[in-house]
Amino acid sequence: MADNTEDSKSPVPEAAQPGGPVDDVVDVPPQDDVETTETNEQVADDVEAEPEDPAPDTTDEGQQTDASEETKDDAVKSDTKDVTQDKAASSEETKENIPADNTDEKVSDKKTDVENEGVSLAPEEKPDSKKDKETSSLKPESEPESPKGETQGENKVEEEKQESENVPITSTSKSGSAKSTKNDKSKGKPTSSQAADDEADVKAGSKPISAKGSRPSSAKPSSAKPSSRPASGKPSSRPSSAKPGSKPVSRPASSKPGSRPMSGKPGSRPTSAVKTADVGDKSGFPKADLTKEATVEIPTAVDDSTEEPVADKPTSRPEPAHLQTGSRPASRESTRSATRKPSPAQSNKDGATTPDPDKLQHEATAPPPTADTMADTTQTTTLNPTPSIPQPPPNILKIKQPTPLPPEDIHINALNMVWSFGMNRHIPVLNLTDDERKMIGYACAHTVILYDFANNTQQILQGHSNPVSCSCVSADKRWLATGDRGEDSVVIVWDTNTGIPIQTLFDAHPDGVAAIAMTPDAKYLATMTSSDSQVLMVWDWTTNSNQPLCSVKLSPNYGYQNYILFNPVDTTHLVTNSEHQVVFYSWKTGSMEHFAPGLTDEDFNKQVGKYSQTIFKYQSSRCLTATSVGNLVVWDTNKPLTKVVNSESTPDKKALKLVKLQERGINVLTTTDKYIVTGDVFGHVKFLDQTLKLVMWYQDINLGPINSLSFAYFPDFDEHLHEMTNYQEDATIAAKKLVIRDFVLGTSQAIYAQIVPDGTDINIIHREHDAAIHALATHPTLPHVAIGSYSGLLKVWNYDTRTPVVSRYFEKGNLIRCCAYDPKGEFLAVGMISGEVYILYSISLDNRVLEPFHYARDAITHAVFSHDSQWLATADAEYTLSVFKRTPDRQEPWEYVGRHRAHYKLIKEVIFGVYLDSNEPRLMSLGEDRVLVEYNLKESSKDNLLVLESDRIEQSAVPLCMAYYPPVTKEHFFLTANDQYKFKLYNATTKMCRKTLLGPVYGSPPRKITVVAATEGNELADRRYMAYITDDKVGLQILPLDGNPHTSMTLVAHPTGVTNLACSCDGKYVFTAGGTDSTVHMWQISVPALEAQAIIGGEGLIPFYGLLDGGREGELFAELENYFYYAQLRSQGVNTMDNREVSTTIPLSEVPFVMRSMGFYPSEEEVMDMLNEVKYSRYVETGKYVEEINLGDFIKLYINHRPAFGLSTDKLRWAFETLGYPLGEDFAIDRGDLLDILQQKGEHMTEYELAEYLTTLLGYNEEGGSSEQIEFDPSKTGDIIEENLAQDVTATVFSDEILGFSMYSDLVQNKETAET
């Protein structure tokens, strides 16, 4: 895959032919950015091979494979004095003027300047003979260093390295095409395609020949264009001023006797066998004998008082690639490799890595390797000793022994998205591949993923709060623009080099963005709104203006315009289209005109079909539009009937003709170079010339209907045919080979693939779910997560390595609804929409039970195993629970026990627990009917599942989820969350509500909760945490619960809805499924961030004061204090003459009265829950009841029990709609019916209580009534109610006139007006 991509960086020279006169062929370690100053012809003519033995891999022992010691060549030692002086002066000036943090930027800028100006060697610099070249290439890599006279020779070689780092050299493959041996650095091993190429090259005798003394293979003169890259090394505009006598200071990196320190010398870096080195030698010098031992030395910066330094001070770690400034970091992969497993040539005897600073510096500045840079590095060029080009001081890095994946840094959020599984298959995939990377960009829910498919890494771009609806990229693949659709829609322009948002357009598209396009030069941006009356806007996004340059409002008759394209030649013209209308535009600052030519089936007596995409023809005024029936509509200028010929492009166009291209629909129409490219519903890709003649046809892709095509960007791409390549022949009579760029395609079946025309390789990048995802489960012991969707695909990923483990497609019609691992990790149960239950092996996904169980008649919504893996329970959409039991029979290891319909509404949760006095499993189910059902597994038999107990646990709220509370308290609980934003703790044995707490209030109540695992040695072990999901968010909560809002957090997870939640077995990750967006996000847990948030929120009562109106100093708190102390008077008797006892507590009997005085009117059951909560709060610890409550505990009790959003008339109106009848625009209940309901339903009142409460609310009794020891006379209440209460009691009358909600609303409104 990498071959063609890398070849485009520089011309491909004529390489050695397979089977040429090569005496000995050896494997050379993969090289990154290896360059010399010789021409390609010289390399091909002068390189000679010498057999070498591959060094053993000693990475595990942390030691290096030393090279053999050889005699230094006299030619290398010549003229070293002047070179040393120039080098020292250059190093000093570079160190003084180039900060270490910006080394990459400075070097890149220097390199660009020289490339633009051109630097050539002086005539005397070019080697005159083979002898000179061989002499310069025979310098040994490792040799005992003499104490004196060594530095000059080393600096000479180091300068030669600097001058030789930018000239490519090539290797050849079996087929003769230039090959790249770039490693997959995310794993420290070569890619599979590279390994295959290496093996083929060895067999053909065409592997890159190595090192010193080798004979050149036969080669033909190169026919390629000369490289635009200068032949010199790293450039500098500064003159060289050297201090004589400067000498670098070095220290050995190995304790082996006789080892020779490198002293920062490029040529002394040892290498290991091919396919084992993580990073290769950058020097371009010959390799030492790999069978001997070698040492690695890191040069250190000298003291300020000594001579010129040769290196920076050590740093703790290299700067991350995404933080590097300036132009695109050329070492995106090299920087990552510094934290991964080192090659044998980089490990010292203690096991710690000691990277070569020159090598790391080169990786941070040089471009990735190409096929031209992967050949032998035998030849070097004698450099002019005056004046030298300085190299920035290398970074000296101390890198710890890396792990398979480097640890993530601590973030400011408690949950941080680190990986996304899946894609939005409706948004086209963008090919961001260029000379330096292999990358695609695609939408994934509300994020954009930059996926490096060569190294299997993701960069997640987060900034949208709605699903991404469209995207586009500039011609050079650097600037990426994305838009979303929904509330608070934005357009963001990203820098793909760094992942940083460069520009954001706010409030420009109230309803979202339907389509977006960018000019090839990335200066202008066009957006189409998604409103009913669409508006096309053109932006100059490089300025800070919040207004478009011009815009035009389109007629709704044009249909929903969902595609935009600029004319690549004249960007003042663009085109949009819907399924039935194409619109052409011409714009300038401040104005825009548009034309919408009509076309019907009658115009050409042919079926037109639905429009898909439109393009501008190359160097023509014509446009082409693809349709759903295989036609191409040709649009041309609507010329007047005159003899005057006007070739100027105009948006006034008409349909010129209709070309029948094929029988089936064309989904994609685009261009690359001078070719027109189509992708159709057959999955075929066709290349046409400008006359619409077929040139190439890819018909064996077989990945489904194509909905996107995107081509790589190679600035130096040569359309002319190179020799020794494997491009396919075109469809013309001449049968010429068609040289085209690599491209990436996306299909409607959620498959992304890369097509490499040089060899016609099809590389699958992603094969994901193309339907809603609901099934999600994590393995109890392994880093595996299972994901199932309605497409019938079940896929297991290793979330540590981010690689798929195994997958299985079920037969058509088997839509996966849920799945679950058993606690031992042996089985995986899968529930289907059809009601079938599969039990599979968790590793292979093969059936453990030959035939699936099919007892349910509706979708399986839940599946859960018991703690001992002996029981399996499933719930279905018919409110029924089924139980299966494991048997010792190997043929039928599971058997059906029975089913029971114990709920009359949907089952929300099924959990297995353990009885406290035994190890027997305990099964419970919770439904929307507010009923908690416990089943009797011990007494159940075949077809007879028994219910042990059924309890109604909620009065008005609807429970949504349930889980066992972790042992953070001495009492055992199970936890529920309801639709009133409350958490409730129930005693595991008595099922008494023991505590009610305010839950997270983030738009919607928690829909699912799960306790994060705490294992030994985990940072979470000393304190427990709970993950939860709401309608569209994911959050993390500190346990134990106390109602403090600062102990929880939440983030938008899936804007279209979260359907499932799972936690990893090690407690490090949380997974969320997005349902219709077909994605799963992996979130890393950062506990310190959540703990810091809780500390910042305050301790004790401070967080609860903030939940009171006005806080600690507000009127509500002062009123609460007055009521609290008045309750003390009431408890001691209002009219008593005894001495008063002032206390900080009140009796529990006064709690309901104080609650009502604060505006919270709890039901009798809620009052009982409050009293029990306080009464039993210390019973487990002390064995005594609590009879009093202080002010602080009362505030917590009030905050946790009162309605989360205060008083509301919505539920009251819902009750009248349910119980009453329509009356005008409102609903009403007959007065007699209302009185009967209040006395007979729910917590019914007595006639005496109803009369007292109604007359008091109507204003005929003193406030307080009998609760304030005022006598009530019920004799006249009947007449009062009949006279003052209407016959038809509407919801408005009841809320405003009886309950007085209108007065409360007026009071709040007046208060807000006064504050304003």
Side-chain angles (χ1 to χ4, degrees):
M1 290 168 48
D3 301 340
N4 192 52
T5 302
E6 301 297 336
D7 290 348
S8 62
K9 293 180 59 176
S10 59
V12 180
E14 186 72 14
Q17 299 295 326
V22 180
D23 292 344
D24 299 295
V25 179
V26 297
D27 288 343
V28 178
Q31 304 291 315
D32 284 350
D33 311 327
V34 179
E35 298 176 353
T36 70
T37 57
E38 292 231 25
T39 63
N40 297 325
E41 291 83 352
Q42 291 171 334
V43 173
D45 292 338
D46 299 328
V47 176
E48 296 184 2
E50 181 174 327
E52 294 178 350
D53 296 330
D57 188 355
T58 58
T59 304
D60 296 337
E61 292 143 10
Q63 298 187 2
Q64 304 173 358
T65 306
D66 297 346
S68 63
E69 300 180 356
E70 298 179 4
T71 307
K72 296 184 177 180
D73 193 86
D74 294 335
V76 179
K77 296 181 179 179
S78 62
D79 296 330
T80 56
K81 182 176 181 180
D82 294 337
V83 176
T84 304
Q85 296 174 356
D86 293 340
K87 174 63 181 179
S90 301
S91 301
E92 178 185 16
E93 183 173 342
T94 302
K95 185 171 183 66
E96 292 175 355
N97 293 280
I98 302 179
D101 293 340
N102 296 326
T103 300
D104 296 343
E105 179 179 0
K106 298 296 183 180
V107 175
S108 178
D109 293 340
K110 289 182 181 181
K111 189 173 182 178
T112 303
D113 293 340
V114 176
E115 289 176 353
N116 294 334
E117 296 176 5
V119 178
S120 61
L121 294 175
E124 62 272 19
E125 290 179 288
K126 299 181 180 180
D128 296 329
S129 65
K130 178 177 179 181
K131 178 180 179 180
D132 294 335
K133 288 178 282 186
E134 292 179 350
T135 299
S136 63
S137 66
L138 291 176
K139 185 181 181 309
E141 300 243 327
S142 295
E143 185 176 359
E145 182 180 17
S146 59
K148 297 182 180 181
E150 190 78 10
T151 304
Q152 293 180 350
E154 292 173 358
N155 286 336
K156 172 69 177 179
V157 178
E158 184 175 5
E159 184 177 7
E160 289 176 353
K161 172 191 172 182
Q162 297 171 8
E163 294 293 328
S164 65
E165 283 181 344
N166 287 331
V167 175
I169 53 181
T170 64
S171 63
T172 59
S173 68
K174 181 176 181 178
S175 60
S177 60
K179 295 289 182 180
S180 170
T181 57
K182 178 179 178 181
N183 274 4
D184 183 356
K185 298 194 176 181
S186 65
K187 301 179 181 178
K189 299 179 181 180
T191 59
S192 59
S193 60
Q194 174 200 337
D197 293 341
D198 291 342
E199 181 179 357
D201 290 340
V202 172
K203 293 179 180 179
S206 60
K207 280 295 288 184
I209 56 179
S210 76
K212 46 195 174 54
S214 58
R215 286 195 302 272
S217 60
S218 62
K220 299 179 181 179
S222 174
S223 60
K225 296 187 299 182
S227 173
S228 61
R229 189 173 294 154
S232 64
K234 296 184 180 296
S236 174
S237 60
R238 303 184 184 90
S240 175
S241 60
K243 291 183 179 181
S246 61
K247 182 177 181 180
V249 179
S250 62
R251 61 179 178 85
S254 175
S255 60
K256 287 181 177 293
S259 61
R260 174 186 171 275
M262 287 175 55
S263 302
K265 181 177 175 182
S268 63
R269 179 165 49 257
T271 58
S272 62
V274 69
K275 303 182 183 179
T276 61
D278 190 31
V279 286
D281 184 17
K282 307 295 189 298
S283 64
F285 284 91
K287 307 295 180 296
D289 187 356
L290 301 180
T291 61
K292 305 288 180 154
E293 289 187 338
T295 59
V296 176
E297 181 204 351
I298 298 181
T300 58
V302 296
D303 189 80
D304 294 338
S305 61
T306 62
E307 308 299 328
E308 294 299 319
V310 296
D312 288 338
K313 295 180 179 180
T315 56
S316 59
R317 63 171 63 191
E319 182 181 14
H322 69 281
L323 296 179
Q324 296 178 4
T325 58
S327 59
R328 171 179 295 130
S331 62
R332 182 184 300 268
E333 298 173 359
S334 302
T335 305
R336 278 195 296 265
S337 68
T339 59
R340 292 188 177 144
K341 190 171 183 179
S343 65
Q346 287 183 293
S347 300
N348 59 25
K349 68 179 294 182
D350 296 328
T353 57
T354 55
D356 186 346
D358 295 324
K359 177 185 182 69
L360 293 172
Q361 178 64 29
H362 184 79
E363 288 180 338
T365 57
T370 66
D372 295 29
T373 64
M374 304 309 295
D376 299 343
T377 57
T378 306
Q379 305 300 325
T380 58
T381 303
T382 305
L383 302 179
N384 189 355
T386 65
S388 65
I389 299 175
Q391 180 180 357
N395 294 325
I396 305 173
L397 309 177
K398 294 181 179 180
I399 304 175
K400 297 180 180 180
Q401 187 68 25
T403 55
L405 282 178
E408 302 287 348
D409 293 334
I410 297 178
H411 301 276
I412 60 174
N413 293 323
L415 293 174
N416 303 278
M417 190 186 304
V418 294
W419 197 266
S420 289
F421 306 94
M423 67 189 69
N424 187 343
R425 58 191 174 93
H426 303 291
I427 309 300
V429 58
L430 301 176
N431 191 355
L432 306 180
T433 299
D434 57 20
D435 289 337
E436 302 173 359
R437 64 188 182 189
K438 294 183 180 298
M439 180 179 290
I440 60 174
Y442 55 91
C444 187
H446 63 301
T447 65
V448 179
I449 307 299
L450 303 184
Y451 179 62
D452 186 339
F453 55 88
N455 298 311
N456 191 32
T457 59
Q458 284 187 358
Q459 187 171 9
I460 303 175
L461 308 183
Q462 301 181 71
H464 295 279
S465 58
N466 303 299
V468 176
S469 58
C470 53
S471 62
C472 64
V473 70
S474 61
D476 62 358
K477 309 298 183 181
R478 176 167 185 179
W479 308 109
L480 171 67
T482 58
D484 62 66
R485 186 181 307 159
E487 188 178 359
D488 300 327
S489 172
V490 295
V491 172
I492 304 178
V493 180
W494 312 83
D495 184 353
T496 61
N497 294 346
T498 62
I500 297 175
I502 305 301
Q503 181 65 281
T504 303
L505 305 178
F506 296 98
D507 305 325
H509 314 84
D511 298 322
V513 187
I516 193 170
M518 185 180 289
T519 57
D521 59 1
K523 181 172 178 57
Y524 300 108
L525 198 65
T527 59
M528 180 73 72
T529 64
S530 60
S531 55
D532 294 336
S533 297
Q534 291 182 284
V535 179
L536 176 67
M537 293 177 276
V538 177
W539 306 80
D540 184 356
W541 66 270
T542 60
T543 65
N544 291 326
S545 175
N546 293 325
Q547 299 297 325
L549 297 176
C550 57
S551 62
V552 62
K553 188 174 182 179
L554 304 181
S555 170
N557 297 329
Y558 294 165
Y560 188 75
Q561 302 283 315
N562 56 6
Y563 178 80
I564 309 177
L565 181 69
F566 278 99
N567 188 335
V569 178
D570 183 1
T571 56
T572 62
H573 290 77
L574 64 158
V575 62
T576 69
N577 68 260
S578 64
E579 290 184 350
H580 305 287
Q581 183 65 61
V582 179
V583 185
F584 299 93
Y585 307 83
S586 177
W587 68 274
K588 60 182 179 180
T589 302
S591 64
M592 180 184 294
E593 63 175 343
H594 68 284
F595 296 87
L599 178 61
T600 62
D601 294 347
E602 290 76 18
D603 291 338
F604 296 105
N605 292 325
K606 294 180 181 179
Q607 182 183 4
V608 177
K610 297 180 180 180
Y611 300 139
S612 57
Q613 293 181 358
T614 304
I615 62 170
F616 292 90
K617 286 194 67 177
Y618 180 72
Q619 294 182 348
S620 172
S621 61
R622 294 183 177 182
C623 296
L624 303 176
T625 300
T627 73
S628 60
V629 294
N631 292 330
L632 284 182
V633 181
V634 181
W635 309 91
D636 202 353
T637 302
N638 190 8
K639 300 178 180 178
L641 299 176
T642 177
K643 295 183 179 180
V644 178
V645 178
N646 185 8
S647 60
E648 182 180 356
S649 179
T650 172
D652 186 8
K653 298 183 184 297
K654 66 177 180 180
L656 181 63
K657 56 184 174 180
L658 196 64
V659 179
K660 187 68 174 179
L661 197 64
Q662 59 187 51
E663 293 297 327
R664 298 294 294 273
I666 302 174
N667 297 334
V668 182
L669 182 64
T670 185
T671 61
T672 177
D673 300 319
K674 296 181 181 180
Y675 298 105
I676 299 170
V677 190
T678 66
D680 56 36
V681 296
F682 283 114
H684 300 170
V685 178
K686 296 180 180 179
F687 288 78
L688 313 172
D689 62 13
Q690 294 298 314
T691 63
L692 301 184
K693 294 181 180 178
L694 183 64
V695 177
M696 177 64 72
W697 186 358
Y698 288 90
Q699 62 180 352
D700 297 325
I701 299 177
N702 299 325
L703 297 178
I706 294 174
N707 56 18
S708 64
L709 290 170
S710 184
F711 289 82
Y713 171 69
F714 301 134
D716 301 327
F717 181 75
D718 188 0
E719 299 181 16
H720 300 287
L721 181 64
H722 298 285
E723 296 186 16
M724 313 305 293
T725 57
N726 196 23
Y727 287 96
Q728 299 297 309
E729 296 178 350
D730 60 24
T732 62
I733 297 177
K736 298 181 179 179
K737 289 189 176 181
L738 182 66
V739 181
I740 54 178
R741 304 171 187 264
D742 299 355
F743 60 94
V744 170
L745 60 84
T747 73
S748 60
Q749 297 179 359
I751 299 175
Y752 292 161
Q754 182 200 31
I755 309 299
V756 182
D758 187 3
T760 319
D761 296 329
I762 302 177
N763 307 305
I764 304 299
I765 300 175
H766 282 320
R767 188 189 298 270
E768 294 296 342
H769 305 267
D770 60 353
I773 295 177
H774 289 262
L776 183 65
T778 54
H779 197 279
T781 57
L782 299 176
H784 292 175
V785 56
I787 304 172
S789 67
Y790 287 175
S791 64
L793 172 62
L794 180 64
K795 195 170 186 179
V796 179
W797 287 82
N798 185 316
Y799 53 77
D800 276 350
T801 61
R802 276 75 156 170
T803 54
V805 177
V806 64
S807 63
R808 173 179 174 179
Y809 272 101
F810 288 87
E811 296 179 359
K812 187 176 181 180
N814 286 325
L815 312 183
I816 302 174
R817 180 62 177 79
C818 64
C819 63
Y821 282 100
D822 77 297
K824 296 181 180 179
E826 183 180 355
F827 304 116
L828 178 64
V830 180
M832 302 291 182
I833 290 291
S834 61
E836 292 181 323
V837 177
Y838 286 80
I839 300 180
L840 315 175
Y841 287 108
S842 62
I843 301 300
S844 63
L845 300 186
D846 294 330
N847 286 357
R848 182 62 185 92
V849 179
L850 297 180
E851 295 294 331
F853 296 108
H854 196 175
Y855 293 92
R857 294 185 294 270
D858 209 332
I860 304 297
T861 58
H862 297 80
V864 59
F865 285 91
S866 63
H867 73 287
D868 55 3
S869 301
Q870 297 298 312
W871 299 84
L872 170 65
T874 63
D876 57 53
E878 282 194 333
Y879 327 137
T880 306
L881 185 132
S882 304
V883 175
F884 307 89
K885 185 178 181 180
R886 192 172 181 181
T887 65
D889 187 359
R890 293 187 177 182
Q891 297 298 326
E892 296 293 337
W894 289 87
E895 67 177 4
Y896 167 74
V897 176
R899 307 177 71 232
H900 197 109
R901 183 171 178 171
H903 299 273
Y904 65 90
K905 287 187 176 181
L906 189 65
I907 297 176
K908 301 299 294 184
E909 196 69 70
V910 179
I911 61 173
F912 267 106
V914 180
Y915 287 105
L916 299 180
D917 56 350
S918 67
N919 197 36
E920 294 296 324
R922 182 185 187 187
L923 176 62
M924 293 186 292
S925 64
L926 179 65
E928 284 186 352
D929 53 8
R930 307 178 179 89
V931 176
L932 177 65
V933 179
E934 182 175 354
Y935 299 88
N936 189 349
L937 297 178
K938 187 175 182 179
E939 303 295 334
S940 298
S941 58
K942 183 70 173 180
D943 295 327
N944 184 26
L945 179 61
L946 302 179
V947 171
L948 182 64
E949 197 172 26
S950 181
D951 300 281
R952 185 183 178 93
I953 62 173
E954 291 280 4
Q955 186 179 30
S956 59
V958 177
L960 301 176
C961 52
M962 177 174 61
Y964 269 99
Y965 200 61
V968 293
T969 60
K970 293 184 178 180
E971 192 172 357
H972 296 274
F973 300 109
F974 57 85
L975 173 68
T976 67
N978 61 37
D979 64 345
Q980 295 180 357
Y981 299 89
K982 303 293 184 183
F983 285 131
K984 288 192 173 183
L985 292 174
Y986 295 87
N987 184 279
T989 303
T990 64
K991 300 177 185 175
M992 174 190 295
C993 181
R994 288 283 292 101
K995 207 165 190 178
T996 301
L997 304 125
L998 178 65
V1001 185
Y1002 298 109
S1004 61
R1007 302 291 180 181
K1008 185 178 179 64
I1009 56 178
T1010 180
V1011 177
V1012 177
T1015 57
E1016 185 178 355
N1018 194 306
E1019 61 178 347
L1020 309 179
D1022 58 343
R1023 193 167 181 178
R1024 300 305 296 272
Y1025 301 84
M1026 179 181 68
Y1028 62 90
I1029 56 173
T1030 65
D1031 286 346
D1032 60 347
K1033 299 177 179 66
V1034 60
L1036 194 66
Q1037 171 76 51
I1038 296 177
L1039 300 179
L1041 299 169
D1042 60 357
N1044 182 354
H1046 300 291
T1047 58
S1048 67
M1049 58 75 61
T1050 188
L1051 292 171
V1052 175
H1054 303 268
T1056 57
V1058 187
T1059 57
N1060 210 340
L1061 171 72
C1063 291
S1064 64
C1065 61
D1066 56 5
K1068 294 181 179 179
Y1069 301 103
V1070 171
F1071 301 87
T1072 57
T1076 55
D1077 65 13
S1078 304
T1079 61
V1080 170
H1081 293 324
M1082 183 170 76
W1083 308 80
Q1084 184 186 23
I1085 298 175
S1086 179
V1087 170
L1090 185 59
E1091 294 289 353
Q1093 173 185 305
I1095 293 173
I1096 293 173
E1099 299 179 351
L1101 291 174
I1102 294 177
F1104 297 92
Y1105 290 147
L1107 297 177
L1108 297 174
D1109 294 341
R1112 177 66 176 79
E1113 306 299 329
E1115 296 180 2
L1116 184 61
F1117 181 78
E1119 186 178 3
L1120 175 58
E1121 281 187 314
N1122 292 335
Y1123 288 137
F1124 188 81
Y1125 292 113
Y1126 178 68
Q1128 291 187 13
L1129 298 179
R1130 290 184 73 258
S1131 65
Q1132 299 176 23
V1134 175
N1135 299 322
T1136 183
M1137 300 302 293
D1138 297 337
N1139 292 333
R1140 300 287 183 178
E1141 295 182 5
V1142 180
S1143 174
T1144 58
T1145 62
I1146 61 174
L1148 292 183
S1149 58
E1150 296 296 322
V1151 168
F1153 299 101
V1154 181
M1155 290 288 182
R1156 296 185 184 109
S1157 66
M1158 295 296 296
F1160 169 41
Y1161 303 96
S1163 65
E1164 294 301 321
E1165 183 174 333
E1166 290 172 334
V1167 168
M1168 185 62 63
D1169 289 342
M1170 285 190 291
L1171 298 181
N1172 287 336
E1173 179 177 330
V1174 179
K1175 185 176 180 180
Y1176 296 100
S1177 59
R1178 299 185 181 91
Y1179 185 80
V1180 176
E1181 292 83 1
T1182 65
K1184 297 180 181 180
Y1185 299 131
V1186 176
E1187 302 292 346
E1188 294 179 330
I1189 185 172
N1190 58 34
L1191 180 59
D1193 291 339
F1194 181 85
I1195 291 175
K1196 293 182 180 180
L1197 191 69
Y1198 169 69
I1199 293 294
N1200 285 322
H1201 281 264
R1202 71 174 182 176
F1205 297 102
L1207 299 174
S1208 174
T1209 60
D1210 294 339
K1211 286 195 173 182
L1212 185 61
R1213 293 183 182 277
W1214 169 79
F1216 270 78
E1217 291 177 6
T1218 304
L1219 301 174
Y1221 48 86
L1223 183 63
E1225 297 181 355
D1226 207 344
F1227 286 83
I1229 301 177
D1230 182 78
R1231 181 178 60 195
D1233 295 340
L1234 177 61
L1235 297 177
D1236 290 340
I1237 291 173
L1238 293 175
Q1239 295 180 73
Q1240 298 177 8
K1241 303 295 184 182
E1243 290 182 347
H1244 54 273
M1245 306 177 187
T1246 64
E1247 185 176 355
Y1248 179 87
E1249 291 173 336
L1250 180 59
E1252 179 187 0
Y1253 298 158
L1254 275 178
T1255 52
T1256 302
L1257 289 171
L1258 292 172
Y1260 289 91
N1261 290 335
E1262 295 185 31
E1263 293 185 5
S1266 59
S1267 64
E1268 295 297 329
Q1269 301 179 359
I1270 299 175
E1271 294 183 2
F1272 170 67
D1273 183 10
S1275 59
K1276 299 180 180 180
T1277 56
D1279 297 334
I1280 295 175
I1281 293 174
E1282 186 174 354
E1283 293 175 2
N1284 295 275
L1285 192 61
Q1287 183 65 36
D1288 295 322
V1289 182
T1290 63
T1292 303
V1293 170
F1294 192 82
S1295 62
D1296 295 347
E1297 298 182 11
I1298 298 178
L1299 300 181
F1301 282 1
S1302 61
M1303 294 187 297
Y1304 177 78
S1305 301
D1306 294 341
L1307 180 63
V1308 173
Q1309 184 176 1
N1310 294 336
K1311 184 178 179 180
E1312 292 177 351
T1313 304
E1315 291 177 353
T1316 303

